[in-house]
């Protein structure tokens, strides 16, 4: 009877959470539709478009709320299943993790339906046509091909469909992590289009929007998943609530900072009260502030109650927080439907339109060093990585353990090289000039990875992180170990794969047309930088890395990989220097920088930089290999001496005894042959 009562109570709570989520979604849709109805007419007039009708003006924000609600619930459910709800040590999901993945599958289906419906609605909105006219297949295909935002929603629908299908069959923790990563990638097509991806300062706007949407998805979706977990009486409620509380704090900080930056790009402080866009920004800021107050003053107290066995407080608090969150989503959707003042003001110059910011003149040495434009993605990454490493060293020192100063210096220099390559004048001029881009490429692929792998970051993390004791669910240390031993890591560190990624990507990127296609797109620029860093790291890790590689290599193989990569880089640089075809010519001619009158000469200079600078890191690699081999020989000699001292040099005595017997045998044989001859 008691078990039936508990089961009935859990079902009631689960039903209540479901009703709450639906109610919150309806609230967001009503807010978005109401605000969009007020601002829509002004938007069409501002862009010189005819009114597409009430169906589009009201239907588009409602459908977008459906898509975004499905996205955040899908992402949040996969987040909890991967990193908050414990899994078995064998890697299989527990029942609670599997329930979260199934919920993510249903949310992905809603995400897919909303994204698919947004394709015709976006086409109708962008062209000012009635939705019924756009639904004609021939018209719709033509508009999708011409409109980047409609194309982005189509790609998003495909990603969401894959998630909805695969979530039905996943049973392991490893695949849940993969699905979580795919769900985050599903946000990128929409981030790369819209207000933030066009006009001046679109690099800052797009990067800040990237942080903003990911943080919002993790926070809102994670809260929905947490409430569902508590409602069904899931295991380890205190641990799950505590882990999510830490994630929520980071997400709120990221949302606040990125939201302010994105707003400052789109609207000046003087326009906050005088424009519709500015008023919506203020409303959104007020709602985020309310959410922050709730999280700061109430969340920790509610989490402690959950840890003591009472989840009702967090459920009640979560209901208020969830309704406020979805109201914020409705305001954000309406904000996306409102033209920002920056798009209605003076038209930026050609350089600012193409790369997001103006350039003050030719790249002198002082400008390359001091003309700073902070890269929100990779500049932030460099600072965070440096901070985490120093924190890990501090943990060891407080415990009484030592950590080599040279490794810390290598890590900080590696982070500094990323910061310089992306946020100094080098990062500012790299999108506009091939020669500076090539210098950035060399720093990111051949200098920064060498310094980073010499710092032994995973060894530091494994020593600093506390292992889960017997009976405890896996934590950060176990997740890191699982990643290091995963099939993905083993494949990437395979010598053939790592060499192909490291040297083959040079040729594939610049001589296949990929670079030409990527130049106008900011998201492609971000992906190129990420590829340079990753390809360099997975190549140098097994060769000179301090951390044990998943696939240890003999010393001769390491040396062979280094020598194998050298001619490829040399030939690549020489090919660029001798080439008569300008790579990325359409984009660079569109910029028409007065200090780059000859694009081919600038490309040849880039080839010279690739050829000359490529040798310097290889010299560092060779020195590191020689030092590591010398230290390995010293360790082997000390090990031999300790063993000799322990057993009285038994190996040497046995070897001498063997030689003595062989000598006696040869002597006896000689005597026998002498007697036989006599």
């Amino acid at each position: 009877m008691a078990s039936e009562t508990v089961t009935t109570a859990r079902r009631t709570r689960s039903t209540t959470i479901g009703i709450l989520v639906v109610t919150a979604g309806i609230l967001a849709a009503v807010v978005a539709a109401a605000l969009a109805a007020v601002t829509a007419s002004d938007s069409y007039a501002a862009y010189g478009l005819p009114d597409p009708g009430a169906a589009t003006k009201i239907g588009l924000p409602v459908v977008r709320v459906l898509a975004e609600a499905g996205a955040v619930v899908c992402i949040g459910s996969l987040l909890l299943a991967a990193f908050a709800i414990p899994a078995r040590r064998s890697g299989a999901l527990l029942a609670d993790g599997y329930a979260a993945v199934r919920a993510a599958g249903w949310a992905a289906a809603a995400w897919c339906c909303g994204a698919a419906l947004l394709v015709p609605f976006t086409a109708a909105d962008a062209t000012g046509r009635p939705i019924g006219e756009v639904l004609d297949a021939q018209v719709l295909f033509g508009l999708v091909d011409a409109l980047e935002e409609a194309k982005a929603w189509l790609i998003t629908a495909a990603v969401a469909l894959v998630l909805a299908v695969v979530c039905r069959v996943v049973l392991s923790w490893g695949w849940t992590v993969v699905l979580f990563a795919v769900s985050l990638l599903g946000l990128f097509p929409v981030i790369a289009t819209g207000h933030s991806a066009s006009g001046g300062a679109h690099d800052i706007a797009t990067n800040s929007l990237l942080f903003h949407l990911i943080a919002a998805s993790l926070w809102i979706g994670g809260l929905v998943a947490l409430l569902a977990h508590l409602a069904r009486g899931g295991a380890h409620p205190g641990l799950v609530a505590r882990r999510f509380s830490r994630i929520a704090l980071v997400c709120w900080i990221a949302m606040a900072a990125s939201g302010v930056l994105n707003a400052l790009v789109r609207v000046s402080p003087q326009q906050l009260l005088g424009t519709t866009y500015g008023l919506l920004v203020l409303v959104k800021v007020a709602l985020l502030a309310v959410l922050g107050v709730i999280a700061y003053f109430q969340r920790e107290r509610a989490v402690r109650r959950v840890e003591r066995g009472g989840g009702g407080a967090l459920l009640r608090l979560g209901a208020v927080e969830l309704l406020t969150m979805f109201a914020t989503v409705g305001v954000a959707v309406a904000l996306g439907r409102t033209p920002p003042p920056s798009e209605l003001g003076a038209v930026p110059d050609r350089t600012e339109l193409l790369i997001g910011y103006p350039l003050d003149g030719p790249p002198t040495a002082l400008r390359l060093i001091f003309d700073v434009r902070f890269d929100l993605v990779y500049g932030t990454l460099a600072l965070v990585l440096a901070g985490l490493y120093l924190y890990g060293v501090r943990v060891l020192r407080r415990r009484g353990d030592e950590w080599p100063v040279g490794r810390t210096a290598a890590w900080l220099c590696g982070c500094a090289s990323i910061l310089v390559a992306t946020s100094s004048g080098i990062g500012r001029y790299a999108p506009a000039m091939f020669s500076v881009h090539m210098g950035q490429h060399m720093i990111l692929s051949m200098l920064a990875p060498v310094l980073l792998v010499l710092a032994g970051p995973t060894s530091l993390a494994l020593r600093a992180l506390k292992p889960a004791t017997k009976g405890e669910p896996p934590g950060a240390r176990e997740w890191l170990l699982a990643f290091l031993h995963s099939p993905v890591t083993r494949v990437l560190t395979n010598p053939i794969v790592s060499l192909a990624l490291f040297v083959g990507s040079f040729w594939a990127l610049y001589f296949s047309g990929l670079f030409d296609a990527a130049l106008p797109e900011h998201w492609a620029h971000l992906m190129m930088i990420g590829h340079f860093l990753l390809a360099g790291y997975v190549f140098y890790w097994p060769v000179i890395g301090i951390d044990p590689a998943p696939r240890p290599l003999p010393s001769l193989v390491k040396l062979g990989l280094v020598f194998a990569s050298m001619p490829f880089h040399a030939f690549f640089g020489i090919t660029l220097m001798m080439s008569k075809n300008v790579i990325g010519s359409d984009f660079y001619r569109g910029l028409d920088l007065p200090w780059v009158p000859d694009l081919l000469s600038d490309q040849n200079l880039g080839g010279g930089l690739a050829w000359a600078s490529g040798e310097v890191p290889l010299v560092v690699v060779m020195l590191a290999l020689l030092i590591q081999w010398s230290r390995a020989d010293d360790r082997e000699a000390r090990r031999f001496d300790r063993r000799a001292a322990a057993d009285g040099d038994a190996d040497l005595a046995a070897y001498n005894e063997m030689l003595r017997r062989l000598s006696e045998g040869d002597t006896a044989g000689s005597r026998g042959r002498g007697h036989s001859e006599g």
Side-chain angles (χ1 to χ4, degrees), residues 420-446:
V420 169
T422 58
S423 299
S424 69
I426 296 175
R428 190 183 187 98
Y429 280 86
M433 296 178 61
F434 186 86
S435 57
V436 182
H437 163 82
M438 191 53 61
Q440 181 190 57
H441 183 166
M442 293 297 106
I443 295 174
L444 293 172
S445 64
M446 304 194 70

Side-chain angles (χ1 to χ4, degrees), residues 22 294 326 674:
V22 172
I294 294 174
F326 272 82

Side-chain angles (χ1 to χ4, degrees), residues 101-119:
V101 174
R102 290 292 298 271
W106 287 112
W111 186 8
C112 177
C113 292
L117 289 172
L118 277 169
V119 175

Side-chain angles (χ1 to χ4, degrees), residues 345-618:
V347 178
D349 63 23
R350 181 167 41 197
T351 303
E352 191 171 358
L353 281 174
L354 289 176
I355 65 174
Y357 48 84
L359 297 174
D360 297 328
T364 62
L366 290 177
R367 282 183 177 140
L368 289 176
I369 297 173
F370 297 110
D371 199 357
V372 175
R373 187 176 181 85
F374 186 74
D375 188 300
L376 288 179
V377 174
Y378 291 103
T380 303
L381 176 66
L383 295 178
V384 169
L385 289 178
L388 290 175
Y389 194 95
L390 292 176
Y391 177 75
V393 173
R394 183 168 176 264
V395 169
L396 293 187
R397 295 280 173 82
R398 292 169 71 182
R399 208 164 58 197
D401 296 338
E402 292 295 327
W403 185 256
V405 176
R407 296 184 186 180
T408 304
W411 184 263
L412 294 180
C413 288
C415 293
S417 64
I418 297 174
L419 190 64
V420 169
T422 58
S423 299
S424 69
I426 296 175
R428 190 183 187 98
Y429 280 86
M433 296 178 61
F434 186 86
S435 57
V436 182
H437 163 82
M438 191 53 61
Q440 181 190 57
H441 183 166
M442 293 297 106
I443 295 174
L444 293 172
S445 64
M446 304 194 70
L447 177 60
V450 171
L451 296 169
L452 295 178
V453 299
L454 289 174
T458 56
S459 297
L460 174 64
L462 292 174
R463 289 181 59 183
L465 293 171
K466 294 181 179 179
T469 59
K470 187 175 182 180
E472 285 186 350
R477 191 176 189 276
E478 289 69 32
W479 298 335
L480 178 59
L481 283 172
F483 172 74
L484 293 176
H485 297 292
S486 67
V488 174
T489 307
R490 292 185 62 84
V491 169
L492 287 177
T493 54
N494 181 289
I496 298 176
V497 175
S498 62
L499 181 63
L501 284 174
F502 186 56
V503 300
S505 58
F506 280 72
W507 299 86
L509 175 64
Y510 295 104
F511 296 113
S512 67
L514 282 177
F515 185 73
D516 298 65
L519 270 176
E521 307 294 341
H522 179 69
W523 62 267
H525 177 68
L526 295 177
M527 291 186 66
M528 276 194 293
I529 293 177
H531 171 77
F532 296 155
L533 287 170
L534 177 62
Y537 195 95
V538 299
F539 176 77
Y540 289 118
W541 178 15
V543 175
I544 59 169
I546 300 298
D547 298 321
R551 199 184 296 268
L553 302 178
S555 299
L556 288 178
V557 175
K558 294 180 179 181
L559 188 63
L561 281 174
V562 174
F563 280 112
S565 66
M566 292 176 66
F568 285 99
H569 286 295
F571 292 151
F572 171 76
I574 293 171
T575 303
L576 282 178
M577 293 170 66
M578 298 178 64
S579 176
K580 301 302 180 185
N581 297 320
V582 177
I583 300 173
S585 58
D586 293 341
F587 179 80
Y588 292 128
R589 288 195 178 97
L591 281 174
D592 193 24
L593 298 177
W595 58 84
V596 189
D598 188 350
L599 295 178
L600 189 58
S601 297
D602 186 63
Q603 180 175 298
N604 293 340
L605 175 59
L609 288 173
W611 174 69
S613 61
E615 304 301 322
V616 177
L618 292 176

Side-chain angles (χ1 to χ4, degrees), residues 25 29 60-71 107 110-115 117:
L60 191 149
V62 171
V63 174
R64 180 147 188 172
V65 167
L66 171 65
E68 295 192 356
W111 186 8
C112 177
C113 292
L117 289 172

